[in-house]
Amino acid sequence: MTGKIAQDPGSDGPADKNSANKDSASAETAEQILAALKFDAQGLIPAIAQQHDTGEVLMLAWMSPESLRETLASGRVCYWSRSRGALWRKGETSGHVQRLVELRYDCDQDALLLLVDQTGSACHTNRRTCFYRALRDGASRILSEPEA
Amino acid sequence: MTGKIAQDPGSDGPADKNSANKDSASAETAEQILAALKFDAQGLIPAIAQQHDTGEVLMLAWMSPESLRETLASGRVCYWSRSRGALWRKGETSGHVQRLVELRYDCDQDALLLLVDQTGSACHTNRRTCFYRALRDGASRILSEPEA
């Protein structure tokens, strides 16, 4: 009987209710975190994107409250483009989207760490990471080439 | 004979010359990188510290040209404290120093990635990383407790 009720497409069953409650609680928590975060004079906060499974640091970009809200709601990372002064839905044109795995934030609540799953390359030069230059053995080095 | 010459304290031998040349080239390269970096209106650049072997992101802080120069010269990370308006030699009082393993910088040359070897905890709360808070499963979570 339990199984039959759960499978009834017309029922507003426990699963649906729990899901709605969870979404609501999640949105409320997101707003509490947003209220606690310290955005700078331009209304922005720096966000580090790190590949969740390899630990590779992919890029550093900026978020507005609006872009963070959209990221949490959609599960796809949206930054604020300082050069364009507009929302920057990462990968919207390139397809190189970042799926948000987890949002973390620091002790001072003025920096974000986004654990993401990066499709393709994070960098506009078509490299996996934006941090492809290094000072190594006293010389400036390029650590990776653009991907095919 | 070669060994004797190399060990002669009075000789300006090949080893000494190479070492001096390397240091000089390294300092020159550092200055070239510094000149290429884009510091913001406050003369600062964000720097991500990442534990070099585990990939853990430890903190985000800020550097001035002077603090970066000192970091490269000493091999110990020195930030710029925005709250104190002064050089911040990480771990000077706590002993929780960061040895610089490698400096990396991004495509836009406006963000740094410091691969470091962190002694003890990076966070002033005595946690290994400053990014110990997360939004997980719709709730705000503390991911680690202060170390003993």
Side-chain angles (χ1 to χ4, degrees):
Chain A
M1 280 299 271
T2 309
K4 196 179 177 184
I5 291 167
Q7 284 167 33
D8 183 349
S11 81
D12 184 14
D16 297 331
K17 274 186 190 158
N18 286 344
S19 174
N21 286 344
K22 197 181 161 191
D23 285 356
S24 168
S26 184
E28 196 178 321
T29 306
E31 283 305 318
Q32 285 166 357
I33 290 173
L34 265 154
L37 291 175
K38 291 174 197 151
F39 293 85
D40 69 10
Q42 283 73 47
L44 302 176
I45 191 168
I48 304 160
Q50 182 181 32
Q51 175 64 29
H52 73 103
D53 48 3
T54 65
E56 189 173 26
V57 173
L58 301 170
M59 57 188 283
L60 176 77
W62 296 80
M63 284 187 148
S64 62
E66 187 186 0
S67 71
L68 179 52
R69 212 170 264 126
E70 172 169 321
T71 298
L72 292 174
S74 71
R76 292 224 327 218
V77 178
C78 173
Y79 297 104
W80 179 260
S81 167
R82 294 181 301 170
S83 56
R84 289 189 291 109
L87 288 176
W88 167 24
R89 294 181 180 91
K90 176 73 182 159
E92 195 171 35
T93 52
S94 66
H96 295 164
V97 297
Q98 294 179 338
R99 181 174 66 80
L100 183 70
V101 174
E102 186 165 280
L103 171 72
R104 295 187 187 170
Y105 50 107
D106 76 346
C107 50
D108 293 333
Q109 305 184 98
D110 62 2
L112 304 176
L113 176 61
L114 311 174
L115 300 187
V116 303
D117 192 19
Q118 171 74 55
T119 299
S121 48
C123 186
H124 75 285
T125 65
N126 217 28
R127 290 172 171 92
R128 179 70 178 169
T129 170
C130 293
F131 293 96
Y132 62 85
R133 300 187 221 230
L135 175 58
R136 186 178 287 181
D137 300 329
S140 176
R141 312 271 184 191
I142 302 288
L143 304 182
S144 64
E145 293 305 317
E147 294 178 358
Chain B
M1 279 301 271
T2 310
K4 197 178 176 185
I5 291 166
Q7 283 166 34
D8 183 349
S11 81
D12 185 12
D16 297 330
K17 274 187 190 157
N18 286 343
S19 175
N21 286 346
K22 196 181 162 192
D23 286 356
S24 167
S26 186
E28 196 178 322
T29 307
E31 284 304 318
Q32 285 166 357
I33 290 173
L34 265 153
L37 292 176
K38 291 174 197 151
F39 294 85
D40 70 9
Q42 283 73 46
L44 302 176
I45 191 168
I48 304 159
Q50 182 181 33
Q51 176 64 29
H52 73 103
D53 48 3
T54 65
E56 189 172 25
V57 173
L58 301 170
M59 57 188 283
L60 176 77
W62 296 80
M63 285 187 148
S64 62
E66 187 185 0
S67 71
L68 179 52
R69 214 170 262 127
E70 173 169 322
T71 297
L72 292 174
S74 70
R76 292 227 324 223
V77 178
C78 173
Y79 298 104
W80 179 260
S81 167
R82 294 181 303 170
S83 56
R84 291 188 292 109
L87 289 176
W88 168 25
R89 294 182 179 90
K90 175 74 182 157
E92 194 171 35
T93 53
S94 66
H96 294 164
V97 296
Q98 294 179 338
R99 182 175 66 80
L100 182 70
V101 174
E102 187 165 279
L103 170 73
R104 296 187 187 170
Y105 49 107
D106 76 345
C107 50
D108 293 333
Q109 305 184 98
D110 62 2
L112 304 177
L113 176 61
L114 310 174
L115 300 187
V116 303
D117 192 18
Q118 171 74 55
T119 298
S121 49
C123 186
H124 74 285
T125 66
N126 217 27
R127 290 171 170 92
R128 180 71 179 168
T129 170
C130 293
F131 293 96
Y132 61 85
R133 301 188 220 229
L135 175 59
R136 186 178 288 181
D137 299 329
S140 176
R141 312 271 184 192
I142 301 290
L143 303 182
S144 64
E145 293 307 316
E147 294 177 1

